[in-house]
Amino acid sequence: MKDLAEKHIVLGLSGGIACYKSAELCRLLIKAGASVQVVMTQAAEQFMTPVTMQALSQRPVYGSQWDTRAANNMAHINLTREADLCLMAPASADLIAKLAHGQADDLLSLMCLARPADRVPLLIAPAMNREMWQHPATQRNVAQVQADGALVLGVGHGDQACGETGDGRMLEPLELLDEVIAFFQPKLLTGQHLLVTAGPTYEAIDPVRGITNLSSGKMGFAIARAARESGATVTLVAGPVSLPTPRGVHRVNVQSARDMLAAVTAHEPQASVFIATSAVADWRPASASAAKIKKEGSGQPPELQFVENPDILASLAQSERGKSRALYCVGFAAESHDLLVNAQAKRQRKGVPLLVGNIGPDTFGQDDNSLLLVDEVGTRELSRDSKLALARKLIAEIAQRLAVGASA
Ligand code: CTP
């Protein structure tokens, strides 16, 4: 099932150069399963034609409160009655000012005011020059629309069409799509702070060589995204992987197991849940050479000595907070065989309430996986699905266990 299946979104465009991004946003929303009704201000039509938006949305675009196409001549009422969400992208300084004051002198502002606010949420993606954005009048208006219940999605930072650099760019279409998808996810972990490790670690032998584990980091990144979608604050400690940071997630990049332990230890006191998906290298070279180890034609490989790395999960699970479950610890087990037996044994050994097993070679680098959840009560299989879908199911499983723990 697509992320926005059966969702009807009213996409409002007000005047700004960012309108060019809204064409792509419209396409992405539809690709994700939504139906999209576009409403444009006259100013928006200076930047993007209704023809383009009609072709992309496959629906006539509305732009005037005097539009006679609606039988009752009340486009401002009709447009939102079937909507699941109104998204203003771009929302100009002028539109936000109108919304803040309840002005309704064009179709878009009139429609926002006339929408059933209790069941049709309003999301706002501001777009404007940096001076306009930081002006006290704009910030006052933003605070007011938030107080009135709108969700303001924030702005991007960078080069602006006017040639200046700063805050005020509209978020990119993919970022807005992720925000809309996140908006519809159940807020199961509001108030929780999740700390997630992901990816492999890299243990240097010398400045050009090292040992590592097979891990793309995709499962851990999907869990970080799903946790944020469910309302949690998320810190993601990532080994060397080239994956984009999920929106709204605080990422800390590390290399070695010891770096990972240091980052986890620094963030653990704020966390209420720790999910260790990282494929931590079990051993590291006893001493990394500062200079490249040369072959020098001797025919003799270097003698490498290894020492064991700290077990990050076990040390947190066996800490005071871990044992009392003030920090709820979730481990992963990447096995090659005998998943159930190995996962049960690993859960005991690590001392975690929940362990998630998977067959490593079946999933490394892929976009899907299947999971076996093992806890003190029994086991549960999450059948093969995309990593994001599995991550959302796992978050729901964790939320359920936290709720039981809290009421116990
Ligand atoms: N883990 C960890 N620190 C380590 C090793 C593992 O935090 N030094 C965590 C992993 O992130 C995972 C769990 O422990 O959540 C199990 O990792 P795995 O590699 O499957 O198990 P190992 O403890 O390494 O045991 P074995 O190699 O014997 O299977």
Side-chain angles (χ1 to χ4, degrees):
M1 178 130 147
K2 292 183 174 179
D3 283 331
L4 295 180
E6 290 165 23
K7 299 292 181 209
H8 182 59
I9 296 173
V10 176
L11 175 61
L13 279 67
S14 54
I17 188 65
C19 281
Y20 82 91
K21 295 185 188 175
S22 305
E24 176 68 3
L25 173 62
C26 178
R27 213 180 62 86
L28 290 173
L29 292 169
I30 287 172
K31 227 172 134 185
S35 55
V36 178
Q37 173 63 58
V38 176
V39 179
M40 298 174 72
T41 64
Q42 275 190 2
E45 291 183 18
Q46 297 287 324
F47 295 92
M48 171 65 66
T49 69
V51 174
T52 302
M53 297 310 294
Q54 175 170 347
L56 291 171
S57 65
Q58 303 274 299
R59 283 166 179 257
V61 170
Y62 282 80
S64 163
Q65 67 272 46
W66 311 119
D67 195 315
T68 53
R69 278 174 295 178
N72 61 357
N73 215 314
M74 292 189 195
H76 66 292
I77 303 288
N78 306 342
L79 284 166
T80 56
R81 293 308 182 262
E82 305 302 321
D84 294 292
L85 178 84
C86 287
L87 169 63
M88 300 299 115
S92 64
D94 182 54
L95 176 65
I96 297 171
K98 280 184 182 174
L99 296 176
H101 293 277
Q103 278 184 359
D105 60 355
D106 63 9
L107 178 61
L108 194 58
S109 53
L110 182 57
M111 180 197 80
C112 287
L113 194 66
R115 80 183 204 286
D118 52 339
R119 63 179 171 83
V120 184
L122 181 62
L123 265 64
I124 293 181
M128 66 199 75
N129 162 269
R130 67 191 176 111
E131 300 292 355
M132 293 167 72
W133 173 247
Q134 68 189 23
H135 195 287
T138 302
Q139 289 303 315
R140 213 167 39 234
N141 291 334
V142 166
Q144 186 60 55
V145 296
Q146 280 174 321
D148 291 344
L151 177 63
V152 178
L153 299 175
V155 292
H157 177 89
D159 293 343
Q160 302 202 299
C162 52
E164 298 180 358
T165 303
D167 288 337
R169 287 166 57 101
M170 188 169 84
L171 297 178
E172 298 305 316
L174 270 173
E175 293 175 314
L176 289 173
L177 174 72
D178 285 353
E179 288 286 4
V180 171
I181 290 172
F183 183 82
F184 286 116
Q185 291 300 317
K187 301 294 172 249
L188 301 172
L189 290 182
T190 303
Q192 303 284 346
H193 186 146
L194 268 74
L195 179 60
V196 182
T197 63
T201 65
Y202 176 86
E203 313 295 332
I205 294 172
D206 68 19
V208 299
R209 306 183 184 90
I211 58 167
T212 188
N213 275 347
L214 267 184
S215 167
S216 65
K218 285 180 180 173
M219 193 68 226
F221 275 59
I223 287 172
R225 174 178 170 168
R228 194 260 174 176
E229 286 178 343
S230 70
T233 303
V234 184
T235 303
L236 173 63
V237 178
V241 291
S242 54
L243 292 173
T245 309
R247 191 157 166 73
V249 166
H250 173 58
R251 176 175 180 172
V252 182
N253 285 327
V254 296
Q255 290 276 320
S256 68
R258 286 182 297 173
D259 297 342
M260 187 171 272
L261 178 63
V264 163
T265 306
H267 289 89
E268 171 272 318
Q270 297 84 47
S272 49
V273 178
F274 175 55
I275 308 180
T277 71
S278 173
V280 183
D282 288 323
W283 304 280
R284 67 176 183 275
S287 62
S289 169
K292 183 182 176 192
I293 302 169
K294 302 297 283 180
K295 196 160 58 178
E296 285 167 347
S298 67
Q300 289 298 311
E303 295 255 324
L304 293 177
Q305 301 288 323
F306 289 94
V307 291
E308 197 169 310
N309 265 328
D311 191 318
I312 302 166
L313 175 62
S315 70
L316 264 67
Q318 282 149 35
S319 69
E320 277 313 306
R321 292 190 71 231
K323 281 197 283 199
S324 70
R325 302 212 177 155
L327 181 70
Y328 187 88
C329 292
V330 181
F332 263 69
E335 305 295 340
S336 59
H337 60 284
D338 294 335
L339 184 57
L340 177 60
V341 174
N342 280 318
Q344 281 171 328
K346 199 165 280 182
R347 190 182 88 80
Q348 295 287 345
R349 202 169 69 237
K350 303 266 179 180
V352 291
L354 176 62
L355 191 117
V356 183
N358 60 155
I359 296 290
D362 284 358
T363 183
F364 285 143
Q366 296 184 31
D367 289 327
D368 58 2
N369 197 359
S370 55
L371 302 177
L372 180 70
L373 275 51
V374 182
D375 67 8
E376 56 215 343
V377 183
T379 62
R380 166 141 205 204
E381 220 180 303
L382 301 183
S383 55
R384 200 151 193 98
D385 210 334
S386 74
K387 288 185 176 174
L388 182 56
L390 287 172
R392 287 177 181 149
K393 286 181 192 159
L394 177 60
I395 290 297
E397 293 278 345
I398 292 171
Q400 217 174 46
R401 286 165 175 79
L402 292 178
V404 170
S407 64

